[in-house]
Amino acid sequence: MQHQEQQPMHIKTIDPTHDPLVLTFHEIDASMLAEVGGKAANLGELTRAGFPVPTGFCLTTTAYALATRTAELEPLLAQLAIVPATDSTQLENCAALARNKLLAISVPPEIVEVVTQAYHDFAAGESIPVAVRSSATAEDLPFASFAGQQDTYLNIVGIEALLDAVKRCWASLWTDRAVSYRASNKIDPRTVRLAVVIQQMVEASVAGILFTANPLTGRRHQAVIDANPGLGEAVVSGAVNPDHFVVNADTGEILARRLGDKRLTIRSTPGGGTQRVDVADQQDAFCLTDEQVQALTRLGKQVEAHYGVPQDTEWAVDSSGYLWLTQARPITTLFPLPANVPTVDDDLHVYLSISVLQGVYRPLTPMGVQAFRLISSVAAIFALGKPPKNPVAGLPFVANIGQRLFLDTTPLLRNTLGREVIIRILQGMEAQSAVIFKQIVTDPRLAASTTSKWPTIRKIFPIALRTKIPLLIVRSLLRPEAARKSIAHLETYLRQPSTLAAGASSTDLLDAFEHRILLGIGRVAHTVLPTALAGMGSAVLATRLLKRIATPDEVQTVLRSLPHNPTTEMDLSLWALAQQIRADSAVVDKVRTTPPEQLAQAYHGGQLPPLLQQGLAEFLRTYGHRAVAEIDLGLARWSEDPTHILGMLANYLQLTNPELAPNVQFERGAQEAEAMVVELTQRARRKGWFYGKLVRFNLQRIRELTGIREYPKYCFILLFAHCRELLWPVGEGLALAGRLEKAEDIFFIDLAEARAAVAGQDFRAVVHERRANYEQEMGRRHIPRVLLSDGTEPEAEHRALVDITEGTLTGAPASAGVVTGIARVIMDPVGARLEPGEILVAPSTDPGWTPLFLTAGGLVMEMGGSMSHGSVVAREYGIPAVVGVHGATERIVTGQRITVDGSNGVIIIEPAEG
């Protein structure tokens, strides 16, 4: 997944002459991140809210600023800021130098004075034991916890030991792990500072952690507790197998408990410091009583209510049985829930990720989501014969969760026919989701109101009559050429520029944007969808007819090199351009040696060699409306930024074997498919004249119509590209008026907001916040296929596809054949290179990925089913493919040699040599 540069975190300027060096917890609240860091801000907030937090004070970031000036760190931090996150050696060298500089200084005298005084006041003149804990400004944040990245020192006794621990905390801001973690999260090292928490030690008899939501399954209202005798460091550091409890946070019922061996205890030592004590096996008894578990759960629920989000807390119980709260931070790994999610678990809703089904893991822009809300209104017109009251808002089943597109499938799953249909569709599109849905529908909260399908069929029948979809499907089957001509006429219509005169008002442009989507999507659905359904229906029927006279691989052969597929036509057109370029060695050298970004700039300036300039312009006239993650209307099209295409051209030039040329393979595949049609027809005739006619008819329709499966999306994206053209002038006008910072910000507001901006409202602050959130979401690696309204990710509870043996992965067979080759894991196709014959391993794919397929030896995808986009294209190119492979991009490493068995859905990872 491509990451854009994150804006530096704002840290206010520190004035050591005016800003305090020390603050007590009662003087600190959650807004003081810059002054006291994340840990201290949370402890102060909890203290002020009345939670049982051990007393203490904080040495602020002002003190750290004084120390870094003494250590002269600024030049080093400026150097570190430009080191790439991938350069681990340079990061480690800079980190070591920063640590050594801080450890070498003497603590500035003004800091010594205030810490000594604060410790004296805090301890009433005695040398009491304290915990000294780092509190960084890039820590315990809503989007990244950075937990454990800086050091903590326990049972520190006396001022000398305290000052030494403070200095070691400062230095721990620059440990290798902390520097690497911040670099991977694009946190500017010059913006990060450290405060130090000095807190009364709790001599814990038992301690541990409490999550107020289940971090493994995502389920809210389910507390998870790990506990161990002694100090909590044993649990936090992972040094022990603790006792484990899962609790219903609403009722207090303990749902699960597991005894840990608890063989290690960390305890304070007299005079300071801690010791690790190995103890005998303690599996015979839990270290917490049921009452303590329930008291912890109640405390966690109160903390979550205070912050409004699930919390990861640390706690301790002292020898008197008193429960202390020693830390709380957001659980940053949970996927968010929709804003209108039901508040009670009994009202279960099931959300299916449309983004992931389409191979798009990155967040969507607000205007991209807006387009789908308008599309849902078109669906209402089809179903009800009229649009909803507010077409811009769309239907409520379109959910924007984590800036990704989800579909609330609850009404379908509570309907007998609906659940059957959606599971069947998913079996072809996304096999793992289908298995998850089969398990979900057994939940009594999703029980269907009736077991009969007839009430639903009676409701669908009038819709079918009104839309004429069944009649259009029959027409496509009887007259496929006429159906394709209708699609060609539709494409011509969709390519027509807007009829608005130059200089049209922003209001007119926004009205045209809305009207064009509503009308255009309706025409696409009415014209293309029936033909695509006819082709897919023919494939399903042929598979059943041939079940006893053909193998699955033979049926898949019929699906190879399908004509009339706009995506494969696009890829072959790009290949043809590469062959034109190959004729001129100077152009070939330029494409191979010049970064694609520079070539793209030269193209827009008309400065490429004529052969390439003209050829690329011709390709983009036809396919320039496409893009990677193209379902997001807010993202640039290839005509706006051809960088990806130019990279693919360079990739194609690596393929020199004429037998492996994509056009040669495509033609070979077409010949094999036609030969298989003849062969299977002859077999069918042996079972009877009519049976033979029926099989031949279906096989011919597969060849004539199934390629059109890609056309609905192709037309949607063509429509999106022209809608973008309507929005650009609006964005330019709003930027000129000072209501947006730049024209492209128009894609970070929705249609209603754009109209409000035209009317005079300033959206610059709104867009700034949304862009920051968007950048944070760009870093999210895990997007659930299916999400429940209680926060549960069913896939985490039910692993649908499991390993057969070590080194073997399984999935759904998608394209027949067996290939052994070098794997290349690619998370984002932009800028990616795939050597000829390498096996592409990807989370999922959309048409923006398919130029890579032309040089791939095989395909492995984490998402998908036999009829998903990647599967269809893989079959057409004749490359073995297995899809729906859980954890493929994590289990397979670039450079490994793997075997892909596309007939049986198996991937074998060869062990590394040596």
Side-chain angles (χ1 to χ4, degrees):
M1 186 178 294
Q2 189 178 26
H3 293 257
Q4 299 180 19
E5 194 65 30
Q6 180 168 317
Q7 295 297 317
M9 183 186 304
H10 174 69
I11 299 295
K12 78 168 193 175
T13 302
I14 296 216
D15 182 358
T17 61
H18 294 95
D19 293 325
L21 295 174
V22 166
L23 292 169
T24 68
F25 286 175
H26 286 283
E27 297 174 298
I28 297 170
D29 62 37
S31 68
M32 300 173 68
L33 178 68
E35 292 89 346
V36 299
K39 188 176 278 85
N42 280 336
L43 288 171
E45 180 71 19
L46 292 167
T47 299
R48 290 161 68 100
F51 287 100
V53 176
T55 57
F57 64 92
C58 175
L59 184 62
T60 67
T61 55
T62 304
Y64 175 79
L66 286 174
T68 56
R69 290 180 192 176
T70 303
E72 299 179 344
L73 278 191
E74 286 304 318
L76 177 60
L77 301 188
Q79 176 186 346
L80 182 59
I82 61 175
V83 177
T86 54
D87 191 346
S88 58
T89 301
Q90 185 68 6
L91 288 175
E92 290 172 5
N93 291 339
C94 290
L97 188 55
R99 289 196 304 273
N100 292 336
K101 280 177 171 288
L102 282 168
L103 289 171
I105 66 169
S106 297
V107 178
E110 55 266 63
I111 296 177
V112 174
E113 180 181 353
V114 296
V115 171
T116 302
Q117 184 61 50
Y119 181 63
H120 182 274
D121 296 343
F122 166 66
E126 298 182 13
S127 292
I128 68 169
V130 294
V132 182
R133 310 169 72 185
S134 304
S135 180
T137 53
E139 178 184 62
D140 295 350
L141 304 176
F143 61 92
S145 73
F146 294 76
Q149 297 304 311
Q150 282 80 50
D151 288 346
T152 289
Y153 299 94
L154 302 177
N155 199 38
I156 302 300
V157 180
I159 189 63
E160 293 300 325
L162 173 55
L163 289 170
D164 179 66
V166 165
K167 195 161 63 169
R168 284 185 284 158
C169 281
W170 286 339
S172 75
L173 187 61
W174 305 104
T175 60
D176 293 345
R177 67 180 184 273
V179 169
S180 175
Y181 195 67
R182 289 194 297 268
S184 66
N185 281 274
K186 303 191 185 311
I187 301 292
D188 189 327
R190 293 166 295 189
T191 67
V192 181
R193 295 189 178 92
L194 189 94
V196 181
V197 170
I198 295 93
Q199 188 176 23
Q200 179 183 352
M201 271 291 294
V202 175
E203 292 302 330
S205 60
V206 60
I209 58 177
L210 159 70
F211 293 94
T212 67
N214 194 316
L216 297 180
T217 66
R219 183 162 186 171
R220 285 18 174 216
H221 312 296
Q222 194 173 84
V224 177
I225 300 169
D226 283 346
N228 198 70
L231 301 179
E233 181 66 18
V235 178
V236 174
S237 65
V240 69
N241 292 322
D243 290 342
H244 179 79
F245 305 86
V246 180
V247 189
N248 183 321
D250 293 329
T251 66
E253 178 188 0
I254 299 176
L255 304 173
R257 64 182 90 215
R258 184 184 68 237
L259 270 170
D261 56 42
K262 306 183 289 295
R263 293 183 179 182
L264 172 69
T265 300
I266 298 178
R267 299 193 182 280
S268 299
T269 57
T274 61
Q275 63 178 346
R276 291 173 172 244
V277 180
D278 292 324
V279 295
D281 191 344
Q282 300 186 50
Q283 291 191 38
D284 57 335
F286 289 98
C287 60
L288 288 176
T289 66
D290 287 1
E291 291 76 15
Q292 287 174 319
V293 169
Q294 289 163 347
L296 271 169
T297 301
R298 288 193 297 271
L299 178 61
K301 192 172 181 180
Q302 292 166 5
V303 174
E304 180 178 304
H306 177 76
Y307 283 104
V309 293
Q311 297 288 302
D312 165 9
T313 71
E314 298 174 23
W315 54 270
V317 177
D318 64 21
S319 57
S320 70
Y322 192 82
L323 173 59
W324 296 95
L325 185 63
T326 58
Q327 184 53 283
R329 62 178 71 87
I331 306 176
T332 59
T333 56
L334 296 176
F335 196 77
L337 296 177
N340 59 345
V341 67
T343 56
V344 293
D345 286 353
D346 287 343
D347 185 10
L348 183 67
H349 282 240
V350 181
Y351 304 96
L352 174 67
S353 176
I354 301 302
S355 289
V356 173
L357 286 178
Q358 289 295 320
V360 178
Y361 282 67
R362 61 184 293 153
L364 269 64
T365 61
M367 196 61 80
V369 174
Q370 174 66 83
F372 280 92
R373 294 201 183 282
L374 288 168
I375 290 172
S376 74
S377 294
V378 177
I381 295 171
F382 260 67
L384 306 174
K386 60 181 180 179
K389 292 181 179 179
N390 184 359
V392 173
L395 297 181
F397 63 74
V398 176
N400 180 3
I401 312 176
Q403 299 177 48
R404 276 84 177 179
L405 201 65
F406 282 76
L407 184 69
D408 187 348
T409 60
T410 312
L412 287 172
L413 295 179
R414 286 179 176 156
N415 180 282
T416 304
L417 181 60
R419 63 172 56 177
E420 183 177 317
V421 169
I422 193 170
I423 289 173
R424 284 183 179 274
I425 291 173
L426 287 174
Q427 284 172 335
M429 290 182 61
E430 216 297 286
Q432 289 197 47
S433 295
V435 176
I436 292 171
F437 269 51
K438 286 181 180 179
Q439 294 163 338
I440 287 173
V441 296
T442 62
D443 192 308
R445 292 173 292 179
L446 294 173
S449 57
T450 175
T451 58
S452 174
K453 300 175 184 177
W454 286 108
T456 303
I457 293 173
R458 284 195 293 269
K459 291 179 181 178
I460 293 174
F461 188 70
I463 297 173
L465 288 178
R466 184 175 63 252
T467 60
K468 301 180 182 179
I469 293 294
L471 182 63
L472 293 170
I473 291 174
V474 172
R475 193 198 73 161
S476 297
L477 289 170
L478 296 177
R479 301 179 59 203
E481 187 175 349
R484 292 196 299 270
K485 283 183 179 179
S486 295
I487 294 173
H489 290 315
L490 172 66
E491 183 175 348
T492 301
Y493 159 76
L494 293 174
R495 289 185 180 277
Q496 290 175 356
S498 171
T499 56
L500 288 176
S505 71
S506 292
T507 298
D508 288 342
L509 289 167
L510 293 174
D511 289 344
F513 171 86
E514 178 182 351
H515 178 74
R516 186 148 192 170
I517 287 187
L518 292 174
L519 182 61
I521 294 295
R523 290 190 63 169
V524 171
H526 196 262
T527 305
V528 186
L529 191 59
T531 306
L533 290 173
M536 289 188 284
S538 295
V540 170
L541 181 56
T543 300
R544 293 184 177 181
L545 289 171
L546 295 167
K547 193 169 185 178
R548 296 183 180 179
I549 62 174
T551 67
D553 285 359
E554 288 175 326
V555 176
Q556 282 195 12
T557 299
V558 177
L559 295 170
R560 288 195 58 187
S561 303
L562 290 168
H564 318 303
N565 184 325
T567 302
T568 53
E569 289 172 355
M570 173 190 75
D571 294 341
L572 292 171
S573 179
L574 188 60
W575 171 256
L577 175 57
Q579 301 322 295
Q580 295 174 28
I581 294 171
R582 201 185 294 274
D584 190 324
S585 59
V587 178
V588 170
D589 289 341
K590 187 171 183 66
V591 172
R592 283 177 169 172
T593 60
T594 307
E597 296 82 3
Q598 292 184 21
L599 292 173
Q601 292 176 2
Y603 169 75
H604 284 305
Q607 298 172 344
L608 290 176
L611 181 64
L612 179 56
Q613 182 78 29
Q614 294 167 12
L616 182 57
E618 183 178 346
F619 174 84
L620 293 177
R621 270 194 294 273
T622 304
Y623 300 107
H625 62 285
R626 308 217 75 165
V628 175
E630 61 189 3
I631 66 168
D632 186 354
L633 180 145
L635 296 184
R637 310 289 103 176
W638 287 338
S639 58
E640 300 170 55
D641 181 7
T643 300
H644 177 58
I645 292 302
L646 288 160
M648 288 299 98
L649 282 173
N651 197 50
Y652 285 177
L653 293 173
Q654 304 295 321
L655 185 58
T656 56
N657 185 340
E659 284 300 306
L660 298 178
N663 58 328
V664 173
Q665 294 198 71
F666 191 84
E667 181 58 32
R668 186 185 302 130
Q671 293 173 1
E672 292 173 359
E674 294 295 345
M676 185 58 67
V677 169
V678 173
E679 167 64 22
L680 296 180
T681 300
Q682 290 174 348
R683 293 184 197 173
R685 283 174 179 163
R686 296 171 195 154
K687 299 186 69 174
W689 172 85
F690 179 75
Y691 190 76
K693 285 285 187 182
L694 186 58
V695 166
R696 179 168 179 78
F697 178 84
N698 274 277
L699 293 179
Q700 287 177 333
R701 292 306 179 264
I702 287 175
R703 301 294 302 166
E704 292 180 288
L705 297 176
T706 306
I708 291 171
R709 175 196 177 281
E710 292 285 308
Y711 248 107
K713 184 177 180 182
Y714 179 87
C715 292
F716 284 177
I717 302 308
L718 183 56
L719 179 64
F720 284 2
H722 285 285
C723 287
R724 278 179 62 86
E725 294 172 2
L726 292 170
L727 292 176
W728 273 110
V730 180
E732 290 167 352
L734 292 174
L736 191 63
R739 296 165 205 157
L740 295 176
E741 288 185 3
K742 47 193 175 182
E744 54 263 39
D745 287 348
I746 188 69
F747 300 110
F748 276 84
I749 57 179
D750 61 29
L751 191 53
E753 291 168 337
R755 286 176 170 138
V758 169
Q761 189 172 342
D762 187 344
F763 277 89
R764 287 175 295 181
V766 171
V767 170
H768 186 271
E769 181 179 356
R770 285 180 182 170
R771 281 191 177 275
N773 293 335
Y774 183 87
E775 294 303 325
Q776 290 172 14
E777 282 296 329
M778 284 287 288
R780 191 186 293 275
R781 290 291 302 272
H782 171 68
I783 313 298
R785 291 173 171 85
V786 181
L787 181 69
L788 304 187
S789 54
D790 63 9
T792 302
E793 295 182 25
E795 189 180 6
E797 292 189 328
H798 310 286
R799 295 300 183 194
L801 300 172
V802 296
D803 297 349
I804 298 174
T805 59
E806 184 177 355
T808 302
L809 302 177
T810 62
S815 181
V818 178
V819 64
T820 299
I822 301 301
R824 183 170 295 273
V825 179
I826 297 178
M827 304 301 292
D828 189 323
V830 177
R833 294 293 181 92
L834 191 69
E835 297 297 321
E838 287 185 330
I839 296 171
L840 172 61
V841 181
S844 186
T845 63
D846 70 358
W849 288 75
T850 56
L852 289 168
F853 285 32
L854 291 185
T855 55
L859 172 68
V860 177
M861 293 197 314
E862 291 185 330
M863 294 292 299
S866 61
M867 291 304 294
S868 61
H869 166 81
S871 304
V872 171
V873 178
R875 283 195 295 270
E876 294 197 12
Y877 293 159
I879 60 175
V882 180
V883 301
V885 184
H886 176 74
T889 60
E890 297 174 359
R891 291 286 306 276
I892 300 172
V893 178
T894 293
Q896 282 183 319
R897 191 172 178 83
I898 66 174
T899 296
V900 177
D901 183 344
S903 300
N904 296 304
V906 176
I907 301 104
I908 299 172
I909 306 172
E910 295 186 9
E913 295 183 0

